Amino acid sequence: MERVFNFSAGPAMLPTDALQRAKDELLDWHDCGMSVMEMTHRGKRFGSIVEKIERDFRELLAIPDNYTVLFLHGGSRSQFAMVPMNLLNGASSAAYAITGLWGDLSAQEASRYCNINEVVNTKDSRCTSIPDAPDWQPIHDNDAYLHYVDNETVNGVEFANVPASHGKPLVCDMSSNLLTRPVDINKFGLIYACAQKNLGPAGVTMLIIRNDLLQCKALEFTPSMFRYKEHADKQSMYNTPPTYPWYVSGLVFEWVKEQGGLQEMDKRNRAKSDKLYAFIDGSDFYDNPVRVSARSRVNVPFTIKGGDPDLEAAFVKESEEQHLMNLKGHRFVGGLRASIYNAMPMAGVDALIDFMMDFEKRHG
Ligand code: PMP
């Protein structure tokens, strides 16, 4: 069967080339007579796979030597707890910038362990903009770190620049935009991202942590599985890792490199999203509520005629008939949403725009 254009926010489309490689190697990896799924994670073969995955990941992001890369499990939600558990380091509060659903949920989770200093919260204006940093509340001396979400997957807002952290470690959830553009890693204390959008299959969570932060004193009751130091000391193999998702992520990293790396990903993601936003802005039928300067390059929410539920339901149904899948918005905000991560080709965006034009002609 022909592959569809999948606009899901995650698990999302993966590059066909990477899936094809996985398929070719499924039963027999490099003439060893077994699948990667069947290999011991302690063996030489899997060791060589891991070494390459980390090398490619470091190269793509130009990760400096004073940062450790960890491959964990538990998704980004686990990080909502692991960040305060590991980084409070004796402090009783942390600063959170809340610019969408995931920032809100991360602060809620952290509030089990510390006081939250909300330096910004855009909930009242439905998370459709990112106020300039000078308009934020001050970070307090006793805040252990500043946490923010670089791209809010549900709301479709993305930081254009890295915010100032005023000497505090900057902790960033890049779940939906890591590997979609170059990042200056030196500005960050910790970056984390679940894999299922741009990095690979669900099951791996990537972390980039500055080495000095591995020395922070974790909260007393923190389980071993939740301690960064434990994972770093054991090269992310404290327990049996999700070996197959690691391997497929490695194939995705190779694909990104072959395409020209993160500059090229950024160029493509801008071209795709600019085209889609230009179409939406030129129409009286579709609407995107996000301020232009804060629009996400990878998650494009939109409504029809101010949010007509019948028309939106018809849109989802008819788009699926055209093999344009998963355009329904997140259950918390409704509406529609096109997630157009690295693996979505321009042809997918073109097909979506053609469909949107046709739908408007028939229902407008
Ligand atoms: N943060 C962001 C920005 C996300 O988009 C998501 C998932 N959509 C999460 C956190 C939670 O990730 P997970 O389901 O892997 O825990």
Side-chain angles (χ1 to χ4, degrees):
M1 107 169 246
E2 214 181 291
R3 281 176 55 77
V4 299
F5 291 121
N6 178 9
F7 294 90
S8 164
M13 236 175 134
L14 288 170
T16 308
D17 290 354
L19 291 177
Q20 189 63 50
R21 266 279 296 285
K23 181 182 175 205
D24 294 345
E25 297 177 346
L26 182 67
L27 293 181
D28 179 13
W29 183 82
H30 294 200
D31 293 326
C32 76
M34 64 174 121
S35 169
V36 174
M37 264 184 256
E38 303 166 301
M39 285 176 190
T40 165
H41 57 296
R42 309 259 176 230
K44 261 211 319 249
R45 287 197 184 92
F46 193 70
S48 71
I49 292 175
V50 172
E51 199 193 311
K52 171 129 178 53
I53 301 174
E54 179 166 345
R55 204 174 342 115
D56 286 347
F57 186 68
R58 282 186 170 275
E59 189 184 318
L60 279 169
L61 283 155
I63 299 176
D65 289 343
N66 61 326
Y67 285 77
T68 296
V69 170
L70 298 176
F71 303 74
L72 304 184
H73 358 202
S76 288
R77 285 267 194 159
S78 294
Q79 295 310 311
F80 293 176
M82 284 173 81
V83 165
M85 282 177 164
N86 285 276
L87 300 187
L88 280 173
N89 203 27
S92 58
S93 76
Y96 277 76
I98 298 168
T99 57
L101 174 76
W102 294 107
D104 192 25
L105 294 176
S106 61
Q108 277 179 37
E109 183 66 24
S111 72
R112 292 163 167 268
Y113 310 107
C114 63
N115 299 318
I116 303 299
N117 173 19
E118 275 185 16
V119 287
V120 66
N121 189 336
T122 58
K123 262 200 294 192
D124 286 348
S125 54
R126 295 189 302 119
C127 302
T128 50
S129 65
I130 297 180
D132 291 335
D135 298 332
W136 293 14
Q137 299 301 313
I139 294 172
H140 299 147
D141 284 347
N142 56 347
D143 291 335
Y145 56 83
L146 168 63
H147 179 284
Y148 79 105
V149 181
D150 205 36
N151 181 74
E152 281 285 357
T153 321
V154 171
N155 311 83
V157 294
E158 184 176 28
F159 278 75
N161 299 299
V162 178
S165 65
H166 303 280
K168 301 291 182 186
L170 193 55
V171 177
C172 186
D173 176 349
M174 289 197 195
S175 292
S176 39
N177 66 350
L178 189 65
L179 294 194
T180 66
R181 63 181 176 188
V183 183
D184 182 357
I185 302 291
N186 285 299
K187 293 186 171 158
F188 296 88
L190 168 65
I191 294 170
Y192 62 88
C194 50
Q196 63 270 22
K197 292 137 193 329
N198 287 290
L199 314 181
V204 199
T205 313
M206 301 299 299
L207 256 84
I208 305 163
I209 182 165
R210 209 174 59 216
N211 288 343
D212 59 291
L213 296 177
L214 291 170
Q215 305 310 324
C216 289
K217 196 171 156 10
L219 296 177
E220 206 63 57
F221 57 81
T222 307
S224 305
M225 259 307 275
F226 267 47
R227 289 175 186 257
Y228 293 144
K229 181 81 167 55
E230 198 72 54
H231 289 287
D233 288 348
K234 308 283 176 359
Q235 285 79 44
S236 306
M237 294 200 192
Y238 170 68
N239 76 327
T240 313
T243 49
Y244 200 70
W246 283 23
Y247 154 78
V248 179
S249 297
L251 299 181
V252 174
F253 301 163
E254 276 186 46
W255 176 82
V256 175
K257 274 178 63 178
E258 283 158 17
Q259 301 305 302
L262 302 193
Q263 302 277 5
E264 179 63 21
M265 290 298 118
D266 190 25
K267 205 169 100 193
R268 291 184 193 179
N269 289 323
R270 273 182 200 288
K272 286 182 291 179
S273 54
D274 283 353
K275 203 174 199 178
L276 187 49
Y277 286 121
F279 171 74
I280 292 171
D281 289 346
S283 143
D284 293 329
F285 188 68
Y286 300 103
D287 182 47
N288 169 283
V290 178
R291 191 190 283 178
V292 172
S293 60
R295 281 177 170 176
S296 166
R297 297 157 310 124
V298 285
N299 302 105
V300 181
F302 56 97
T303 54
I304 298 179
K305 285 200 166 164
D308 180 323
D310 294 336
L311 275 179
E312 287 174 357
F315 185 97
V316 171
K317 183 169 174 290
E318 291 183 26
S319 57
E320 300 216 335
E321 285 160 11
Q322 300 302 313
H323 298 170
L324 305 170
M325 311 308 280
N326 295 311
L327 284 155
K328 196 170 178 343
H330 190 277
R331 64 192 187 285
F332 281 16
V333 295
L336 301 155
R337 172 178 51 168
S339 295
I340 47 175
Y341 301 123
N342 282 350
M344 175 64 67
M346 183 60 101
V349 173
D350 287 338
L352 174 61
I353 292 174
D354 285 348
F355 171 77
M356 289 168 82
M357 279 198 274
D358 182 55
F359 187 85
E360 180 177 350
K361 255 193 231 141
R362 288 182 291 107
H363 295 274

